[in-house]
Amino acid sequence: MELHHHYNPYYINVNPVPEGGGGGERDRERDRFPQWTHAETKEFLAVRAEFDRSFMETKRNKPLWEAISARLRQKGFNRTPEQCKSKWKNLVSRFKGIEAMDGEGSRQFPFLEELRTIFSARMERLQVSKKDKGKGVQVQGEEWGEEEEEEEEEEEEEEEEEEEKEKVGRSKKKKRVERTRRFEEEVENALKEFARRQLEMQARWIAAAEAREAERKAKEEEWRRAMDALEEERKTMERTWREREEERRAREEVRAERRDALVTVLLAKLEKEGL
């Protein structure tokens, strides 16, 4: 199907971007990944055409690009979903540029017919969809093409932003959970350490109290033994004093008796002598 400029559903006033050009970031990307071969690009467009209806019906394109990447790997081409997405944007940009110039430069773009087929089928599906909804078949192709691509990019950007936000949110939640877990562990460890120190202090206090009590009992026992010894010594001294006192009294009595006997003898002698 040949599309004319007055009914071109893919027209947008953009400058064509050469597939291998761009410089800067594109040169670095080309250095990191091998260039797409002609056969690989045709296989890619064939797979992309199979998924075009799904791209129109869903707002989440990331799983579709992952499916396309997996399909290409099955065919022997190792391309990431991001590479597939970037390649598609590059091809669409070149296609729009050539269409905007009424097909000029199509010889330098060997995939023009494949992209025309994809977008023609897309327009047919869109017209059928609008007929089913009772809105007629009049479609402003230029506006539709531009809005569809812009919406797709905006949706993809929103999806990426949402995914990034979800990742950041999960990361923050994970960090909060990790911080909470570490804080709980630190608190638990601090409580355990505090309890351990309390038990150690209590054990030391009990040991010190028991030592003081044992020392008190030992001193008390020593004092009692000292008191018992003093009491025994007192009793011994008292018994000794009593024994000595009894001996002294006995000697006094003997001396008294002797003195009385001597006085009696003297008196008797005096009486004899007439004194």
Side-chain angles (χ1 to χ4, degrees):
M1 179 187 295
E2 183 179 358
L3 301 176
H4 300 289
H5 180 64
H6 68 280
Y7 188 63
N8 184 358
Y10 324 109
Y11 172 77
I12 182 169
N13 189 14
V14 297
N15 294 324
V17 179
E19 186 174 357
E25 182 65 26
R26 194 177 296 271
D27 291 338
R28 292 191 293 271
E29 184 176 352
R30 188 174 61 250
D31 294 336
R32 290 195 301 269
F33 304 106
Q35 292 185 354
W36 291 68
T37 63
H38 186 276
E40 185 180 11
T41 304
K42 287 184 71 67
E43 288 289 348
F44 166 69
L45 288 175
V47 174
R48 179 60 177 77
E50 296 178 11
F51 284 87
D52 192 64
R53 179 186 293 272
S54 299
F55 275 95
M56 294 180 64
E57 294 175 352
T58 183
K59 292 184 178 181
R60 295 186 58 83
N61 295 340
K62 186 175 180 180
L64 298 178
W65 289 117
E66 292 175 350
I68 292 174
S69 174
R71 185 73 65 83
L72 286 177
R73 281 198 300 272
Q74 293 176 359
K75 295 178 179 291
F77 303 106
N78 188 17
R79 294 291 176 177
T80 65
E82 290 74 16
Q83 287 177 282
C84 296
K85 178 180 176 181
S86 176
K87 182 65 175 177
W88 172 253
K89 288 185 177 181
N90 186 279
L91 291 171
V92 171
S93 297
R94 294 188 64 187
F95 171 76
K96 288 180 179 179
I98 292 172
E99 289 292 292
M101 294 186 293
D102 293 330
E104 294 181 8
S106 59
R107 293 181 179 179
Q108 289 83 20
F109 187 59
F111 309 106
L112 184 63
E113 292 302 323
E114 286 83 350
L115 285 166
R116 278 179 176 171
T117 301
I118 292 174
F119 285 113
S120 296
R122 180 182 294 186
M123 279 303 301
E124 290 177 0
R125 288 194 299 270
L126 184 64
Q127 290 174 359
V128 171
S129 175
K130 290 202 172 187
K131 280 183 180 180
D132 294 340
K133 293 179 180 179
K135 295 183 179 180
V137 297
Q138 294 182 356
V139 179
Q140 296 180 353
E142 297 177 0
E143 294 179 358
W144 175 81
E146 180 178 359
E147 289 176 358
E148 190 275 336
E149 293 296 332
E150 290 179 353
E151 288 177 359
E152 181 179 352
E153 292 179 357
E154 290 177 358
E155 289 173 357
E156 291 178 356
E157 290 177 358
E158 290 178 357
E159 289 178 2
E160 292 177 356
E161 290 179 359
E162 289 178 0
E163 290 178 357
E164 186 65 25
K165 289 180 180 179
E166 290 179 358
K167 289 180 180 179
V168 172
R170 288 194 297 269
S171 177
K172 289 182 177 179
K173 184 178 179 180
K174 185 177 179 180
K175 289 181 180 179
R176 286 197 300 270
V177 172
E178 185 66 20
R179 286 197 300 268
T180 303
R181 185 183 63 80
R182 286 199 301 268
F183 176 75
E184 290 177 353
E185 288 180 354
E186 290 176 358
V187 171
E188 184 178 359
N189 292 334
L191 291 175
K192 288 181 178 179
E193 182 65 17
F194 177 77
R196 185 184 66 80
R197 292 185 178 181
Q198 287 292 106
L199 290 175
E200 289 181 353
M201 291 177 62
Q202 186 176 2
R204 287 197 297 269
W205 181 85
I206 292 174
E210 290 177 351
R212 289 194 298 270
E213 181 65 16
E215 183 179 3
R216 185 190 66 78
K217 288 182 179 180
K219 289 182 178 181
E220 183 177 355
E221 186 65 23
E222 183 180 0
W223 179 82
R224 286 179 180 175
R225 286 197 299 269
M227 292 295 102
D228 291 342
L230 289 174
E231 181 66 17
E232 187 66 24
E233 184 179 0
R234 186 190 65 79
K235 289 180 179 180
T236 301
M237 292 177 66
E238 185 176 357
R239 284 196 302 270
T240 302
W241 179 81
R242 288 179 179 177
E243 290 175 357
R244 290 178 179 179
E245 185 67 18
E246 288 178 357
E247 291 177 356
R248 186 186 63 78
R249 289 180 180 178
R251 286 195 300 270
E252 285 292 331
E253 289 179 356
V254 170
R255 284 197 296 268
E257 290 177 356
R258 289 177 180 179
R259 188 174 56 251
D260 291 341
L262 182 59
V263 170
T264 302
V265 171
L266 288 175
L267 289 176
K269 187 177 181 180
L270 290 174
E271 287 179 358
K272 286 181 178 184
E273 292 179 355
L275 295 177

